[in-house]
Amino acid sequence: MMKWSTSLRMMLCTVLATSMIAVGLGTDRVEVAEAASDHYKFDFGAGAVTNGYTGVSASTAYTAARGYGFNTPANMKNVSASGSGVASDAVQFLKFGTKSDNTFNVDLPNGLYEVKVTLGNTARASVAAEGVYQIMNMTGNGATDQFQIPVTDGQLNLLVTEGKAGTAFTLSALEIRKLSNQPVTNRTIYIGGDSTVCNYYPLASSVQGGWGQLLPSYVNNTTFQVRNMATSGQIARGFRDDGQMEAILKYIKPGDYFILQLGINDTNAKNNTTEAQFKEIMRDMVRLAKNKGATVILSTPQGRATDFNSSNVHQAENRWYNASTRALAQEEGVTLVDLNKLSSAYFTSIGPAATLALYMNGDSLHPNRQGASQLARIVAADLKRQGLNGF
């Protein structure tokens, strides 16, 4: 199937002085020539193309003349999806991994871009670009999210990759918008953590929440963007060694914050991590981020909803290797948000019943959306109290 090149699309727009020109290419696929070279919209799959988008099927190979396409289309597959519009079909990545060459490539002028992804049908999948993770563990059919990325080599290379083994890794739509000619991310708050911190989808309406997901509500968004790299079940060793810390270190810079909260899963015997090992792995990540010029913040995890004594005082200081996190913050001279103690004080003030209502039903560990919002509020308030700006 013939595709119009990016340069031809732009030439047509200039000559005709229109904001958008749709050019029919058969009965089921439509190419769109867009007026603005800083805004690109792709609709993936074999079905009809949504108005305003450029259609891309699994067989669309990248060529320099076209300016976009799959690097190895033999490793792609057209699949259906259960959404509507751009989410009614998708492509599936049959080969994946952050270092995979099975990417969707788009030629772009160097600069800073905002990339919005819409997945197809998938249980859990992550998004990678430029060889590192960008979004962790998007869940549910038709999930959407976005991220900032600097392009420095004239091309974006993106794929959907493993979030959970055995599930399909699919992509329904991609929207790319240029933010700046300077290929540098805005000031960023990077977050590392586990299931009490991570994102749940849909981001705006999920029943369960992690406090990292809700933190943007308490951040000055003209100053900072928030990049939550936390994932369910994560331990310190896994965060450092399995790609999440790598992604942060690729982009983190002076003026950025790195908030790290782990320990809950590290204390589980199956993860074979002693408290001494946990502390040294955390120390390694603290120093790596400090060496990039970032402000590092350690946080202790909140306790369980049921950690009340007979006097209805909530207390969980000795959980989750908290003592080592507190000691490490002092030893390395970094900011500590003692969320464990701060949340216990809050839970004590509202009482056991109201505290339980901030957690998932039948689950004393994981906060619901309301609980995550309260934890995010506490984190932001404590950082503001300690003199950090942006909250």
Side-chain angles (χ1 to χ4, degrees):
M1 185 180 299
M2 184 178 70
K3 301 287 186 179
W4 293 107
S5 71
T6 300
S7 59
L8 180 56
R9 293 203 310 271
M10 300 313 303
M11 181 184 72
L12 287 170
C13 292
T14 301
V15 171
L16 297 176
T18 60
S19 62
M20 186 173 291
I21 304 166
V23 183
L25 295 179
T27 59
D28 63 341
R29 302 300 282 173
V30 174
E31 283 296 338
V32 173
E34 297 186 25
S37 62
D38 59 356
H39 197 179
Y40 309 78
K41 299 166 73 175
F42 298 98
D43 181 354
F44 296 92
V49 179
T50 299
N51 186 38
Y53 285 75
T54 296
V56 180
S57 72
S59 61
T60 304
Y62 170 82
T63 65
R66 181 179 287 130
Y68 63 88
F70 292 104
N71 195 46
T72 52
N75 295 318
M76 300 302 303
K77 176 183 177 183
N78 291 319
V79 293
S80 61
S82 57
S84 59
V86 294
S88 64
D89 57 355
V91 290
Q92 181 178 346
F93 290 79
L94 303 179
K95 181 182 177 185
F96 45 85
T98 57
K99 310 305 179 188
S100 172
D101 63 357
N102 187 36
T103 53
F104 179 69
N105 302 335
V106 186
D107 291 340
L108 299 170
N110 288 351
L112 179 66
Y113 290 83
E114 179 182 81
V115 178
K116 179 181 179 181
V117 296
T118 301
L119 302 189
N121 289 5
T122 185
R124 187 162 71 201
S126 296
V127 176
E130 309 310 309
V132 297
Y133 286 118
Q134 301 291 337
I135 305 174
M136 303 305 303
N137 287 4
M138 296 173 68
T139 53
N141 298 339
T144 63
D145 205 346
Q146 60 191 40
F147 61 93
Q148 284 185 9
I149 187 167
V151 173
T152 59
D153 61 358
Q155 189 177 82
L156 175 69
N157 312 107
L158 178 144
L159 77 162
V160 182
T161 188
E162 189 167 350
K164 181 180 181 181
T167 64
F169 310 124
T170 60
L171 179 63
S172 281
L174 183 66
E175 188 170 346
I176 305 168
R177 182 170 63 92
K178 192 173 188 180
L179 301 177
S180 170
N181 289 327
Q182 300 301 315
V184 180
T185 56
N186 295 344
R187 289 187 70 187
T188 304
I189 301 172
Y190 294 94
I191 304 174
D194 54 36
S195 58
T196 66
V197 184
C198 70
N199 290 345
Y200 295 86
Y201 293 81
L203 290 173
S205 60
S206 62
V207 175
Q208 188 168 352
W211 67 252
Q213 174 185 350
L214 278 296
L215 188 65
S217 298
Y218 302 95
V219 168
N220 183 343
N221 298 125
T222 62
T223 303
F224 283 103
Q225 63 159 337
V226 176
R227 293 290 297 274
N228 188 6
M229 301 298 288
T231 51
S232 179
Q234 190 56 277
I235 61 174
R237 184 184 295 107
F239 194 88
R240 183 190 65 180
D241 296 347
D242 295 341
Q244 286 145 284
M245 193 66 194
E246 176 192 22
I248 291 171
L249 292 173
K250 182 178 177 71
Y251 300 113
I252 201 166
K253 61 191 182 301
D256 290 347
Y257 297 161
F258 175 40
I259 308 177
L260 183 60
Q261 177 185 297
L262 289 162
I264 292 177
N265 297 300
D266 297 83
T267 61
N268 191 319
K270 73 177 183 179
N271 289 315
N272 195 31
T273 304
T274 67
E275 185 162 7
Q277 290 171 330
F278 167 78
K279 186 178 180 182
E280 292 312 307
I281 295 168
M282 293 285 281
R283 188 191 306 278
D284 189 30
M285 289 190 282
V286 167
R287 290 182 175 180
L288 287 168
K290 285 173 66 176
N291 288 341
K292 291 285 188 174
T295 297
V296 179
I297 300 154
L298 291 176
S299 175
T300 55
Q302 84 283 352
R304 292 183 176 274
T306 50
D307 284 334
F308 283 88
N309 62 23
S310 59
S311 300
N312 284 338
V313 173
H314 192 277
Q315 200 276 342
E317 288 185 29
N318 296 323
R319 286 192 181 275
W320 321 134
Y321 292 161
N322 284 331
S324 288
T325 298
R326 295 183 184 110
L328 180 60
Q330 184 173 17
E331 292 167 12
E332 293 296 323
V334 300
T335 300
L336 173 70
V337 173
D338 204 340
L339 181 59
N340 184 275
K341 291 182 179 179
L342 293 170
S343 61
S344 282
Y346 173 68
F347 295 152
T348 297
S349 73
I350 64 175
T355 296
L356 195 62
L358 296 177
Y359 284 73
M360 296 295 290
N361 290 336
D363 183 345
S364 67
L365 177 61
H366 296 98
N368 57 28
R369 190 177 188 86
Q370 292 71 34
S373 181
Q374 290 299 327
L375 294 172
R377 176 188 60 80
I378 292 169
V379 170
D382 194 56
L383 289 172
K384 183 177 181 179
R385 178 190 66 79
Q386 295 191 61
L388 280 75
N389 66 359
F391 301 96

